Amino acid sequence: MLLEIKDIHVHYGKIAALKGVSMEVPEDGIVTIIGANGAGKSTTLRAISGLSKISAGEIWFDGERIDALPPEKIVACGIAQVPEGRRVFPDLSVEENLRTGAFLRNDRVEIDHSLEQVFTRFPRLKERRSQWAKTLSGGEQQMVAIGRALMSKPRLLLLDEPSMGLAPVIIQEIVRILEDIVADGVPVVLVEQNAELALSLARYAYVLETGSVSLAGIAEDLHENDHVKKAYLGG
Amino acid sequence: MSELILQTIVNSIYAASYMSLIAVGLVLIFGVMGVINFAHGELYMAGAYTVVALYSGLNLPFFVAVVVGMVFVGLLGLVMEYAFFRALRDNPLGGLIASIGFLLILQTVAVLGFGVRMAHIRPSTQEKIELFDGVLLTHQRLYVIVAAILLLTALYIFLRKTKFGWAMRACAQDTEAAALQGISLNQITRIAMFIGAGLAGVVGALTAPLVSPTPYMGHSIIVTAFIIIVVGGIGQLEGAVVAAILYAFVHTFVTTFFDGVVADMVGLVLMLLVLVVKPTGLFGANDRV
Ligand SMILES: Nc1ncnc2c1ncn2[C@@H]1O[C@H](COP(=O)(O)OP(=O)(O)OP(=O)(O)O)[C@@H](O)[C@H]1O
Ligand SMILES: [Mg+2]
């Protein structure tokens, strides 16, 4: 397993957001985490990236224990996250946003090459490379956020609700890009409220309910599960 | 009369130069740490006393003393970051109180080391340029103007063209998202503190022969700098420069044609007007650095 989460707990003050969550992410394909608002999906990704400290449990990445590392060290291990709400840097240009993703890399020529790759994936960003990120549409900002994460050449990509607030055509575009990324050999952890979409893309799925994993398994199987159908697939 | 106006314009450019360097340093520190550094005026004072010690005391060349002053005060900034601000991150009030504490420490050290009286420093040069008939610019003041142009340009290039510059702006805009790019907030904070403090130090050092340093010289400068960053929009570097120029011209002209107390009042009224008309400052939106 590339990533192993073992019985982690996360507290915000006195509120327990995660109460013993365990997950495994293999070397390829998409693992999805679905669940209702406030179930703890974002908190799980934040814990992996070191933004929220865990109060118990362990997180292992490629044979190394990472749960005590600060966020920048976790990026250096090869885990990139596209956070909920995109969080592009509003007053940086598109190109500057993308280049901050390569902050830990020192290979100038290679960085330029990665930038061109991102522009090939997202031609719209190339046209807008010197524009302030805050002037972009929501879909374009999501592309910047994904492109920025790819600029670190991650070995694992965490995506928190990339479809949020986007029109169906744009979501399709994002999905196509996601499949490209996976085809290029980068495994993805996808957090989604759109369970239908998430289960159709992923190989494995975890269902989070109020801070605990209530169901886990092959995505296709969960798609047919009665509880999942009722609670997350609208019937 | 026209000579007086031209001379006042020249004086305003000088004032704008040193005030923008001070204000920009303050904004840079605020942008990354979210703390108004109330000890900024004392960093400026420390730069001035470096020149008192090295140039007046040890007879080292003026520019050697200035460069040492800049680096020394930059290092003081690192001490502040290490000793106070790091532990008080996400605690703006705590940071503010700590900076006031540091201000008192620096003042006390200056009093113990140099006494409370004004230190008179011989000018490093008597040269002056006659720009127009009867309109003079001393070299001592010219140094400050040139330093402001060079340092602000260098800072601009750093922030726009280098990866640490992007990282610093990224941290100021969204600390968490910056951390997710592998940017270490501690490292960026140190760089911002060093630059911000160093800029205050170099202004103090360069203007020391012009102002006669005292341990309390930081007071008036921090008040002025505060007005400027409010007018410019807190967190706005370009805003700080424009506001410094605006303030310097208004203040210098009112001082020349009325008097200094009226000028201080006009400065405050200017700030209040901006706050009433546009509470986020002239350049403020939520855009920062
Ligand atoms: N910064 C915080 N301070 C306090 N409580 C928080 C904080 N962030 C999250 N929580 C709480 O932790 C729990 C899990 O939140 P989390 O954001 O992980 O949920 P989520 O599954 O991502 O929800 P959503 O689908 O709405 O994004 C919620 O009860 C939430 O209120
Ligand atoms: Mg969430």
Short mmCIF file of all heavy atoms in Angstrom, two decimals, chain A residues 98-150:
data_model
loop_
_atom_site.label_atom_id
_atom_site.label_comp_id
_atom_site.label_asym_id
_atom_site.label_seq_id
_atom_site.Cartn_x
_atom_site.Cartn_y
_atom_site.Cartn_z
N LEU A 98 0.99 28.49 -10.49
CA LEU A 98 1.48 27.17 -10.89
C LEU A 98 2.91 26.97 -10.40
O LEU A 98 3.28 25.91 -9.90
CB LEU A 98 1.40 27.03 -12.41
CG LEU A 98 -0.03 27.04 -12.98
CD1 LEU A 98 0.00 27.07 -14.50
CD2 LEU A 98 -0.83 25.84 -12.49
N ARG A 99 3.72 28.01 -10.52
CA ARG A 99 5.13 27.85 -10.13
C ARG A 99 5.31 27.68 -8.62
O ARG A 99 6.27 27.05 -8.19
CB ARG A 99 5.97 29.02 -10.65
CG ARG A 99 6.23 28.93 -12.16
CD ARG A 99 7.15 30.05 -12.62
NE ARG A 99 7.38 30.04 -14.05
CZ ARG A 99 8.29 29.27 -14.66
NH1 ARG A 99 9.06 28.46 -13.96
NH2 ARG A 99 8.43 29.32 -15.97
N THR A 100 4.39 28.24 -7.84
CA THR A 100 4.53 28.00 -6.39
C THR A 100 4.38 26.51 -6.09
O THR A 100 4.96 26.00 -5.14
CB THR A 100 3.49 28.74 -5.53
OG1 THR A 100 2.20 28.40 -5.98
CG2 THR A 100 3.69 30.23 -5.55
N GLY A 101 3.63 25.79 -6.95
CA GLY A 101 3.50 24.35 -6.77
C GLY A 101 4.83 23.63 -6.89
O GLY A 101 5.01 22.54 -6.34
N ALA A 102 5.77 24.25 -7.60
CA ALA A 102 7.08 23.64 -7.79
C ALA A 102 8.09 24.20 -6.79
O ALA A 102 9.30 24.08 -7.00
CB ALA A 102 7.57 23.88 -9.22
N PHE A 103 7.59 24.77 -5.70
CA PHE A 103 8.49 25.46 -4.76
C PHE A 103 9.66 24.60 -4.28
O PHE A 103 10.77 25.08 -4.13
CB PHE A 103 7.69 25.96 -3.55
CG PHE A 103 8.52 26.74 -2.57
CD1 PHE A 103 8.91 28.04 -2.84
CD2 PHE A 103 8.94 26.16 -1.37
CE1 PHE A 103 9.69 28.75 -1.95
CE2 PHE A 103 9.72 26.87 -0.48
CZ PHE A 103 10.08 28.17 -0.77
N LEU A 104 9.41 23.33 -4.06
CA LEU A 104 10.47 22.48 -3.49
C LEU A 104 11.40 21.90 -4.56
O LEU A 104 12.36 21.21 -4.23
CB LEU A 104 9.85 21.33 -2.69
CG LEU A 104 9.14 21.76 -1.40
CD1 LEU A 104 8.49 20.57 -0.74
CD2 LEU A 104 10.12 22.43 -0.45
N ARG A 105 11.10 22.19 -5.82
CA ARG A 105 11.96 21.64 -6.87
C ARG A 105 13.00 22.68 -7.27
O ARG A 105 12.75 23.88 -7.23
CB ARG A 105 11.11 21.27 -8.09
CG ARG A 105 10.16 20.13 -7.81
CD ARG A 105 9.17 19.92 -8.93
NE ARG A 105 9.85 19.72 -10.21
CZ ARG A 105 9.19 19.67 -11.38
NH1 ARG A 105 7.89 19.78 -11.41
NH2 ARG A 105 9.86 19.49 -12.50
N ASN A 106 14.17 22.21 -7.69
CA ASN A 106 15.22 23.16 -8.06
C ASN A 106 15.70 23.00 -9.49
O ASN A 106 16.61 23.69 -9.93
CB ASN A 106 16.40 23.03 -7.11
CG ASN A 106 16.07 23.60 -5.74
OD1 ASN A 106 15.53 24.70 -5.65
ND2 ASN A 106 16.32 22.84 -4.70
N ASP A 107 15.05 22.09 -10.21
CA ASP A 107 15.46 21.82 -11.58
C ASP A 107 14.74 22.75 -12.55
O ASP A 107 13.68 22.45 -13.04
CB ASP A 107 15.11 20.36 -11.91
CG ASP A 107 13.73 19.97 -11.34
OD1 ASP A 107 13.19 20.74 -10.52
OD2 ASP A 107 13.20 18.92 -11.72
N ARG A 108 15.36 23.89 -12.82
CA ARG A 108 14.72 24.94 -13.63
C ARG A 108 14.13 24.45 -14.93
O ARG A 108 12.99 24.74 -15.26
CB ARG A 108 15.79 26.00 -13.98
CG ARG A 108 15.83 27.16 -13.04
CD ARG A 108 16.66 28.24 -13.68
NE ARG A 108 15.80 29.15 -14.43
CZ ARG A 108 15.63 30.43 -14.08
NH1 ARG A 108 16.28 30.91 -13.07
NH2 ARG A 108 14.85 31.19 -14.78
N VAL A 109 14.95 23.72 -15.67
CA VAL A 109 14.53 23.28 -17.00
C VAL A 109 13.33 22.34 -16.87
O VAL A 109 12.34 22.44 -17.60
CB VAL A 109 15.69 22.58 -17.71
CG1 VAL A 109 15.26 22.11 -19.10
CG2 VAL A 109 16.88 23.53 -17.81
N GLU A 110 13.43 21.43 -15.91
CA GLU A 110 12.35 20.48 -15.67
C GLU A 110 11.07 21.18 -15.22
O GLU A 110 9.97 20.77 -15.59
CB GLU A 110 12.78 19.47 -14.59
CG GLU A 110 13.78 18.45 -15.10
CD GLU A 110 13.07 17.38 -15.92
OE1 GLU A 110 12.19 16.71 -15.35
OE2 GLU A 110 13.38 17.25 -17.12
N ILE A 111 11.23 22.22 -14.43
CA ILE A 111 10.05 22.97 -13.98
C ILE A 111 9.36 23.62 -15.18
O ILE A 111 8.13 23.55 -15.32
CB ILE A 111 10.43 24.04 -12.93
CG1 ILE A 111 10.89 23.37 -11.64
CG2 ILE A 111 9.25 24.96 -12.64
CD1 ILE A 111 11.44 24.32 -10.60
N ASP A 112 10.16 24.23 -16.06
CA ASP A 112 9.58 24.83 -17.27
C ASP A 112 8.84 23.76 -18.08
O ASP A 112 7.77 24.01 -18.63
CB ASP A 112 10.67 25.47 -18.13
CG ASP A 112 11.19 26.75 -17.51
OD1 ASP A 112 10.53 27.28 -16.60
OD2 ASP A 112 12.28 27.22 -17.92
N HIS A 113 9.43 22.58 -18.11
CA HIS A 113 8.81 21.48 -18.84
C HIS A 113 7.47 21.09 -18.20
O HIS A 113 6.47 20.92 -18.90
CB HIS A 113 9.79 20.29 -18.86
CG HIS A 113 9.27 19.12 -19.62
ND1 HIS A 113 9.04 19.15 -20.98
CD2 HIS A 113 8.91 17.88 -19.21
CE1 HIS A 113 8.58 17.99 -21.37
NE2 HIS A 113 8.47 17.19 -20.32
N SER A 114 7.46 20.98 -16.87
CA SER A 114 6.20 20.67 -16.18
C SER A 114 5.14 21.73 -16.44
O SER A 114 3.97 21.42 -16.61
CB SER A 114 6.42 20.57 -14.67
OG SER A 114 7.34 19.57 -14.36
N LEU A 115 5.59 22.99 -16.48
CA LEU A 115 4.65 24.08 -16.74
C LEU A 115 4.02 23.90 -18.11
O LEU A 115 2.80 24.03 -18.28
CB LEU A 115 5.38 25.42 -16.63
CG LEU A 115 4.49 26.66 -16.68
CD1 LEU A 115 3.64 26.77 -15.43
CD2 LEU A 115 5.32 27.93 -16.84
N GLU A 116 4.85 23.59 -19.09
CA GLU A 116 4.31 23.36 -20.44
C GLU A 116 3.32 22.19 -20.44
O GLU A 116 2.30 22.23 -21.11
CB GLU A 116 5.45 23.10 -21.45
CG GLU A 116 6.21 24.37 -21.86
CD GLU A 116 5.27 25.54 -22.21
OE1 GLU A 116 4.30 25.34 -22.98
OE2 GLU A 116 5.49 26.66 -21.71
N GLN A 117 3.65 21.15 -19.67
CA GLN A 117 2.73 20.00 -19.57
C GLN A 117 1.38 20.43 -19.01
O GLN A 117 0.33 20.01 -19.50
CB GLN A 117 3.32 18.92 -18.67
CG GLN A 117 4.33 18.05 -19.39
CD GLN A 117 4.86 16.96 -18.46
OE1 GLN A 117 4.95 17.16 -17.25
NE2 GLN A 117 5.21 15.82 -19.04
N VAL A 118 1.43 21.26 -17.96
CA VAL A 118 0.17 21.74 -17.38
C VAL A 118 -0.60 22.55 -18.41
O VAL A 118 -1.82 22.40 -18.56
CB VAL A 118 0.43 22.57 -16.10
CG1 VAL A 118 -0.85 23.27 -15.65
CG2 VAL A 118 0.96 21.69 -14.99
N PHE A 119 0.12 23.39 -19.15
CA PHE A 119 -0.55 24.19 -20.18
C PHE A 119 -1.11 23.31 -21.29
O PHE A 119 -2.11 23.66 -21.93
CB PHE A 119 0.41 25.23 -20.76
CG PHE A 119 0.64 26.41 -19.83
CD1 PHE A 119 1.88 27.04 -19.77
CD2 PHE A 119 -0.39 26.88 -19.03
CE1 PHE A 119 2.08 28.11 -18.93
CE2 PHE A 119 -0.18 27.96 -18.17
CZ PHE A 119 1.05 28.58 -18.13
N THR A 120 -0.47 22.18 -21.56
CA THR A 120 -1.01 21.26 -22.56
C THR A 120 -2.30 20.62 -22.04
O THR A 120 -3.27 20.46 -22.76
CB THR A 120 0.01 20.15 -22.88
OG1 THR A 120 1.28 20.76 -23.06
CG2 THR A 120 -0.37 19.39 -24.13
N ARG A 121 -2.28 20.27 -20.75
CA ARG A 121 -3.50 19.72 -20.15
C ARG A 121 -4.61 20.74 -20.09
O ARG A 121 -5.78 20.42 -20.25
CB ARG A 121 -3.21 19.27 -18.71
CG ARG A 121 -2.81 17.82 -18.58
CD ARG A 121 -2.88 17.44 -17.11
NE ARG A 121 -1.69 16.69 -16.68
CZ ARG A 121 -1.55 15.40 -16.87
NH1 ARG A 121 -2.47 14.70 -17.46
NH2 ARG A 121 -0.45 14.80 -16.45
N PHE A 122 -4.24 21.98 -19.77
CA PHE A 122 -5.25 23.05 -19.59
C PHE A 122 -4.92 24.22 -20.54
O PHE A 122 -4.41 25.24 -20.08
CB PHE A 122 -5.23 23.58 -18.16
CG PHE A 122 -5.42 22.55 -17.09
CD1 PHE A 122 -4.33 22.09 -16.37
CD2 PHE A 122 -6.68 22.07 -16.79
CE1 PHE A 122 -4.49 21.15 -15.36
CE2 PHE A 122 -6.85 21.14 -15.78
CZ PHE A 122 -5.76 20.67 -15.07
N PRO A 123 -5.25 24.08 -21.82
CA PRO A 123 -4.89 25.14 -22.77
C PRO A 123 -5.45 26.50 -22.36
O PRO A 123 -4.84 27.53 -22.63
CB PRO A 123 -5.52 24.67 -24.08
CG PRO A 123 -5.75 23.21 -23.91
CD PRO A 123 -5.96 22.98 -22.46
N ARG A 124 -6.59 26.48 -21.68
CA ARG A 124 -7.19 27.76 -21.28
C ARG A 124 -6.30 28.54 -20.33
O ARG A 124 -6.34 29.76 -20.27
CB ARG A 124 -8.53 27.52 -20.61
CG ARG A 124 -9.64 27.43 -21.63
CD ARG A 124 -10.91 27.80 -20.99
NE ARG A 124 -11.57 26.60 -20.52
CZ ARG A 124 -12.73 26.63 -19.86
NH1 ARG A 124 -13.28 27.79 -19.57
NH2 ARG A 124 -13.29 25.52 -19.47
N LEU A 125 -5.53 27.81 -19.54
CA LEU A 125 -4.67 28.50 -18.58
C LEU A 125 -3.50 29.17 -19.29
O LEU A 125 -2.99 30.20 -18.84
CB LEU A 125 -4.13 27.52 -17.54
CG LEU A 125 -5.19 26.87 -16.65
CD1 LEU A 125 -4.51 26.06 -15.56
CD2 LEU A 125 -6.11 27.92 -16.04
N LYS A 126 -3.08 28.58 -20.39
CA LYS A 126 -1.95 29.18 -21.11
C LYS A 126 -2.31 30.57 -21.61
O LYS A 126 -1.53 31.51 -21.47
CB LYS A 126 -1.54 28.28 -22.28
CG LYS A 126 -0.30 28.78 -22.98
CD LYS A 126 0.35 27.71 -23.83
CE LYS A 126 1.70 28.19 -24.31
NZ LYS A 126 2.44 27.12 -24.98
N GLU A 127 -3.53 30.69 -22.16
CA GLU A 127 -3.97 32.02 -22.63
C GLU A 127 -4.02 33.02 -21.49
O GLU A 127 -3.86 34.21 -21.71
CB GLU A 127 -5.39 31.94 -23.21
CG GLU A 127 -5.52 31.08 -24.44
CD GLU A 127 -6.98 30.66 -24.65
OE1 GLU A 127 -7.89 31.42 -24.22
OE2 GLU A 127 -7.19 29.58 -25.22
N ARG A 128 -4.27 32.51 -20.28
CA ARG A 128 -4.46 33.42 -19.16
C ARG A 128 -3.28 33.44 -18.21
O ARG A 128 -3.42 33.83 -17.06
CB ARG A 128 -5.73 33.00 -18.40
CG ARG A 128 -7.00 33.21 -19.18
CD ARG A 128 -8.17 32.48 -18.56
NE ARG A 128 -9.43 32.81 -19.21
CZ ARG A 128 -9.81 32.35 -20.40
NH1 ARG A 128 -8.99 31.54 -21.07
NH2 ARG A 128 -10.95 32.71 -20.93
N ARG A 129 -2.14 33.04 -18.67
CA ARG A 129 -1.02 32.81 -17.75
C ARG A 129 -0.61 34.05 -16.96
O ARG A 129 -0.12 33.94 -15.83
CB ARG A 129 0.19 32.21 -18.47
CG ARG A 129 0.81 33.13 -19.51
CD ARG A 129 1.73 32.36 -20.43
NE ARG A 129 2.95 31.90 -19.76
CZ ARG A 129 3.80 31.04 -20.30
NH1 ARG A 129 3.59 30.53 -21.49
NH2 ARG A 129 4.90 30.70 -19.66
N SER A 130 -0.78 35.26 -17.51
CA SER A 130 -0.36 36.45 -16.74
C SER A 130 -1.53 37.14 -16.04
O SER A 130 -1.35 38.18 -15.42
CB SER A 130 0.38 37.45 -17.62
OG SER A 130 0.43 37.06 -18.94
N GLN A 131 -2.71 36.54 -16.12
CA GLN A 131 -3.87 37.12 -15.45
C GLN A 131 -3.85 36.82 -13.95
O GLN A 131 -3.41 35.73 -13.55
CB GLN A 131 -5.09 36.45 -16.06
CG GLN A 131 -6.25 37.35 -16.36
CD GLN A 131 -7.26 36.62 -17.25
OE1 GLN A 131 -6.96 36.24 -18.38
NE2 GLN A 131 -8.44 36.42 -16.72
N TRP A 132 -4.36 37.74 -13.10
CA TRP A 132 -4.50 37.43 -11.68
C TRP A 132 -5.46 36.24 -11.52
O TRP A 132 -6.50 36.20 -12.18
CB TRP A 132 -5.09 38.58 -10.88
CG TRP A 132 -4.24 39.79 -10.65
CD1 TRP A 132 -4.70 41.08 -10.58
CD2 TRP A 132 -2.83 39.87 -10.42
NE1 TRP A 132 -3.65 41.94 -10.34
CE2 TRP A 132 -2.50 41.22 -10.24
CE3 TRP A 132 -1.80 38.93 -10.36
CZ2 TRP A 132 -1.19 41.67 -9.99
CZ3 TRP A 132 -0.50 39.37 -10.13
CH2 TRP A 132 -0.22 40.70 -9.94
N ALA A 133 -5.15 35.33 -10.64
CA ALA A 133 -5.99 34.15 -10.46
C ALA A 133 -7.40 34.53 -10.02
O ALA A 133 -8.37 33.85 -10.35
CB ALA A 133 -5.35 33.20 -9.45
N LYS A 134 -7.53 35.64 -9.28
CA LYS A 134 -8.87 36.01 -8.79
C LYS A 134 -9.80 36.42 -9.92
O LYS A 134 -11.01 36.49 -9.72
CB LYS A 134 -8.76 37.15 -7.76
CG LYS A 134 -8.28 38.46 -8.33
CD LYS A 134 -8.15 39.52 -7.26
CE LYS A 134 -7.41 40.73 -7.83
NZ LYS A 134 -6.96 41.64 -6.80
N THR A 135 -9.26 36.71 -11.10
CA THR A 135 -10.12 37.12 -12.21
C THR A 135 -10.62 35.92 -13.02
O THR A 135 -11.34 36.09 -13.98
CB THR A 135 -9.38 38.08 -13.17
OG1 THR A 135 -8.30 37.37 -13.78
CG2 THR A 135 -8.83 39.29 -12.43
N LEU A 136 -10.23 34.71 -12.63
CA LEU A 136 -10.65 33.52 -13.38
C LEU A 136 -12.02 33.04 -12.93
O LEU A 136 -12.47 33.31 -11.83
CB LEU A 136 -9.65 32.38 -13.17
CG LEU A 136 -8.20 32.60 -13.58
CD1 LEU A 136 -7.40 31.34 -13.33
CD2 LEU A 136 -8.10 33.02 -15.03
N SER A 137 -12.67 32.25 -13.80
CA SER A 137 -13.93 31.62 -13.42
C SER A 137 -13.65 30.47 -12.46
O SER A 137 -12.50 30.05 -12.30
CB SER A 137 -14.62 31.06 -14.67
OG SER A 137 -13.93 29.90 -15.11
N GLY A 138 -14.70 29.98 -11.83
CA GLY A 138 -14.54 28.90 -10.86
C GLY A 138 -13.87 27.67 -11.47
O GLY A 138 -12.98 27.06 -10.87
N GLY A 139 -14.29 27.31 -12.67
CA GLY A 139 -13.71 26.14 -13.33
C GLY A 139 -12.24 26.35 -13.64
O GLY A 139 -11.41 25.45 -13.43
N GLU A 140 -11.91 27.55 -14.09
CA GLU A 140 -10.50 27.84 -14.39
C GLU A 140 -9.66 27.83 -13.12
O GLU A 140 -8.52 27.36 -13.12
CB GLU A 140 -10.40 29.19 -15.10
CG GLU A 140 -10.94 29.16 -16.53
CD GLU A 140 -11.32 30.53 -17.07
OE1 GLU A 140 -11.25 31.53 -16.31
OE2 GLU A 140 -11.73 30.60 -18.23
N GLN A 141 -10.25 28.34 -12.03
CA GLN A 141 -9.51 28.30 -10.76
C GLN A 141 -9.26 26.87 -10.32
O GLN A 141 -8.20 26.55 -9.78
CB GLN A 141 -10.28 29.07 -9.68
CG GLN A 141 -10.26 30.56 -9.91
CD GLN A 141 -10.82 31.35 -8.74
OE1 GLN A 141 -11.00 30.83 -7.65
NE2 GLN A 141 -11.07 32.63 -8.97
N GLN A 142 -10.25 26.01 -10.54
CA GLN A 142 -10.06 24.60 -10.18
C GLN A 142 -8.91 24.01 -11.02
O GLN A 142 -8.10 23.23 -10.51
CB GLN A 142 -11.36 23.82 -10.42
CG GLN A 142 -11.34 22.40 -9.89
CD GLN A 142 -11.11 22.33 -8.39
OE1 GLN A 142 -10.02 22.03 -7.94
NE2 GLN A 142 -12.13 22.64 -7.62
N MET A 143 -8.83 24.41 -12.28
CA MET A 143 -7.74 23.93 -13.12
C MET A 143 -6.39 24.44 -12.60
O MET A 143 -5.41 23.69 -12.60
CB MET A 143 -7.95 24.40 -14.57
CG MET A 143 -9.15 23.77 -15.24
SD MET A 143 -9.45 24.49 -16.85
CE MET A 143 -11.11 23.86 -17.15
N VAL A 144 -6.37 25.69 -12.17
CA VAL A 144 -5.12 26.23 -11.60
C VAL A 144 -4.74 25.41 -10.36
O VAL A 144 -3.59 25.02 -10.19
CB VAL A 144 -5.26 27.72 -11.22
CG1 VAL A 144 -4.06 28.19 -10.42
CG2 VAL A 144 -5.43 28.57 -12.47
N ALA A 145 -5.74 25.13 -9.52
CA ALA A 145 -5.44 24.40 -8.28
C ALA A 145 -4.92 23.00 -8.59
O ALA A 145 -3.97 22.53 -7.95
CB ALA A 145 -6.69 24.33 -7.41
N ILE A 146 -5.50 22.34 -9.58
CA ILE A 146 -5.01 21.00 -9.95
C ILE A 146 -3.63 21.11 -10.59
O ILE A 146 -2.71 20.36 -10.26
CB ILE A 146 -6.02 20.30 -10.90
CG1 ILE A 146 -7.35 20.06 -10.16
CG2 ILE A 146 -5.45 18.98 -11.40
CD1 ILE A 146 -8.46 19.51 -11.04
N GLY A 147 -3.49 22.07 -11.51
CA GLY A 147 -2.20 22.26 -12.16
C GLY A 147 -1.10 22.56 -11.15
O GLY A 147 0.01 22.02 -11.21
N ARG A 148 -1.41 23.39 -10.18
CA ARG A 148 -0.45 23.76 -9.14
C ARG A 148 0.00 22.51 -8.38
O ARG A 148 1.18 22.33 -8.12
CB ARG A 148 -1.15 24.76 -8.20
CG ARG A 148 -0.30 25.31 -7.08
CD ARG A 148 -1.09 26.34 -6.29
NE ARG A 148 -2.21 25.74 -5.56
CZ ARG A 148 -3.04 26.43 -4.77
NH1 ARG A 148 -2.86 27.72 -4.60
NH2 ARG A 148 -4.02 25.83 -4.14
N ALA A 149 -0.97 21.65 -8.05
CA ALA A 149 -0.62 20.42 -7.33
C ALA A 149 0.27 19.52 -8.20
O ALA A 149 1.22 18.91 -7.71
CB ALA A 149 -1.88 19.68 -6.90
N LEU A 150 -0.02 19.48 -9.50
CA LEU A 150 0.78 18.62 -10.38
C LEU A 150 2.20 19.13 -10.53
O LEU A 150 3.13 18.35 -10.80
CB LEU A 150 0.12 18.53 -11.77
CG LEU A 150 -1.21 17.77 -11.83
CD1 LEU A 150 -1.79 17.84 -13.23
CD2 LEU A 150 -0.99 16.31 -11.40
#
